[in-house]
Amino acid sequence: MKQLERDVVIVGAGPSGLTAAWELSRAGLSVAVLEARDRVGGRTWTDTVDGAVLEIGGQWVSPDQTALKDLLTELGLETYERYRDGDSVYIAADGTRTRYTGDMFPVSADTEAEMNRLIELLDRLAAEAGPETPWTHPEARVLDTISFHHWLREQSSDEEACNNIGLFIAGGMLTKPAHAFSALQAVLMAASAGSFSNLVDENFILDKRVVGGMQQVSERLAGRLGDDVVLSSPVRTLRWYGGSNDDGTTDGGHVTAVSDTVTVKARHAIMAVPPNLYSRVSYEPPLPRRQHQMHQHQSLGLVIKVHAVYATPFWRADGLSGTGFSASSIVQEVYDNTNHEDSRGTLVGFISDEKADAMFRLDPAERQRTILESIAGFLGPQARTPEVYYESDWGSEEWTRGAYATSYDLGGLHRYGPDQLTPVGPIHWSCSDLAAEGYQHVEGAIRMGQATARNILSLTPAEGA
């Protein structure tokens, strides 16, 4: 097995790990990035399926994502606006289909008033809590020990309003049922995007895309690092030391990462994978008790991202933007996802949590028929017959096992959040799942990579720096 010595070994070649590696490398530290997959990019993946270029993973850029936008500029990548001209479609719980324009769903005046009141309440809580330390909010424990589903119904008796507001966090972001995570976790999700109002504005949160695909961020960073990125090399063991010496002094320790193809001895390790994968590595000695407990309270959600490619974007001729919402339909969200300067039209739809469970119980042909029928409910019968159909299923992907990011179970955020970034000896944690601003987005992954690199540089300055 190949033996390497580096200042820092990074486990995971997604945007966070590669950002950290590049920041450390250009500051003068030596790095090695070990990736289990045969590609870089982590939960970003731009692939060609049956001749169609699809964004299998994360893809959008919003106006507030300054770290991502700065990196795109540095890497020479361009963006373009998501198509949004025309009417959107809303399907109510009774199946009524309504075309509309503007930000608010076409609901009754009473339901609209309740939705606006809930949005204002969540905006206030998000502003008070902030994304950095929401567990310090005076009501943190109360908010963290009640599910978002039940908290909403404590605030309002309007079921349609509660379901619609819940959609933006549960199905739209955490991809878990609203009864499975806390109100505090929902507040963090809103705070990480600047406000809950930003989350409900699809023209903000889904503003632009990268020409050629988001995976290029990782590919271009990896290109700069060259042979220091090792693919198809899952890390099996981290042997680490950090603490007091016999003479009473302390040091930062050291770590040895043992992968399938390479062993790296380093002064620091960065675990740049989602927390649900931490346990895939054996630690010698074992991690402290609190780390073990914390990681058992973090889990990924489940979502099917459906791609349907057509000869033309037919919905535009009907004056539709391609955007649709419904808290009650199988497909809860649908958008025009047509590639830059592509003559064909692409739709992307999302089925999350319990609805995804139901779809996976069907055989593939029946699942495809059911999902396309749901999309047709928004955009018309032509949606039933795409030229290319593909389902992104990150839940069955060996080195991810869910989407989009981990969140805590009830009570977990205020209990463990203060410790989630605490290094263990020479081992540091860096991923979008642990971010403040940009939580569970590429933005958060980049911010975490930059912050982790700064922390290590403060502990281990480069020689001659």
Side-chain angles (χ1 to χ4, degrees), residues 88-344:
S88 300
V89 175
Y90 174 75
I91 298 178
D94 64 2
T96 302
R97 176 183 182 272
T98 305
R99 297 171 64 138
Y100 72 100
T101 57
D103 295 332
M104 176 54 68
F105 295 163
V107 293
S108 71
D110 288 345
T111 296
E112 180 176 343
E114 282 298 276
M115 288 179 64
N116 283 325
R117 188 175 65 81
L118 290 170
I119 291 169
E120 290 174 5
L121 175 56
L122 285 161
D123 277 346
R124 176 179 64 78
L125 287 170
E128 291 172 354
E132 295 284 348
T133 57
W135 43 85
T136 63
H137 188 279
E139 298 178 47
R141 191 179 192 283
V142 172
L143 291 168
D144 204 31
T145 52
I146 184 172
S147 76
F148 190 45
H149 172 96
H150 290 96
W151 180 85
L152 284 170
R153 283 151 184 82
E154 282 189 350
Q155 312 307 315
S156 175
S157 60
D158 189 312
E159 190 67 12
E160 186 174 16
C162 290
N163 283 331
N164 285 340
I165 294 299
L167 168 66
F168 289 103
I169 296 283
M173 290 294 171
L174 300 183
T175 64
K176 293 178 176 178
H179 62 255
F181 59 88
S182 73
L184 185 64
Q185 188 78 57
V187 169
L188 168 59
M189 186 71 250
S192 74
S195 67
F196 191 83
S197 291
N198 285 344
L199 285 184
V200 303
D201 181 0
E202 77 275 7
N203 289 332
F204 180 89
I205 206 73
L206 310 179
D207 181 29
K208 294 183 179 180
R209 293 178 56 195
V210 178
V211 176
M214 185 67 82
Q215 190 185 0
Q216 291 176 105
V217 171
S218 295
E219 290 171 337
R220 295 196 180 189
L221 286 172
R224 292 179 172 186
L225 294 164
D227 292 339
D228 287 329
V229 179
V230 184
L231 301 180
S232 302
S233 193
V235 172
R236 306 298 184 180
T237 303
L238 281 181
R239 300 190 183 104
W240 62 279
Y241 167 81
S244 300
N245 298 317
D246 292 339
D247 62 3
T249 62
T250 60
D251 61 34
H254 56 77
V255 61
T256 299
V258 182
S259 76
D260 284 1
T261 62
V262 133
T263 295
V264 183
K265 184 176 180 180
R267 287 187 281 174
H268 299 275
I270 299 175
M271 288 293 289
V273 297
N276 67 301
L277 297 183
Y278 293 164
S279 62
R280 301 291 298 278
V281 176
S282 296
Y283 301 87
E284 299 176 3
L287 295 175
R289 178 191 307 109
R290 188 155 182 82
Q291 289 286 332
H292 285 306
Q293 288 293 306
M294 183 193 314
H295 302 160
Q296 290 177 53
H297 288 267
Q298 295 167 287
S299 62
L300 281 156
L302 177 65
V303 64
I304 307 171
K305 182 180 183 181
V306 174
H307 313 259
V309 183
Y310 303 85
T312 63
F314 63 84
W315 51 93
R316 298 180 186 178
D318 191 29
L320 294 173
S321 64
T323 299
F325 296 101
S326 176
S328 56
S329 297
I330 293 297
V331 175
Q332 297 169 302
E333 304 170 78
V334 63
Y335 303 100
D336 185 319
N337 211 39
T338 302
N339 290 324
H340 182 59
E341 296 183 345
D342 192 351
S343 62
R344 293 191 292 181

Side-chain angles (χ1 to χ4, degrees), residues 18 64 218 222 266 297 321 381 390 407:
L18 289 168
D64 63 329
S218 295
H297 288 267
S321 64
Y390 183 79
S407 54

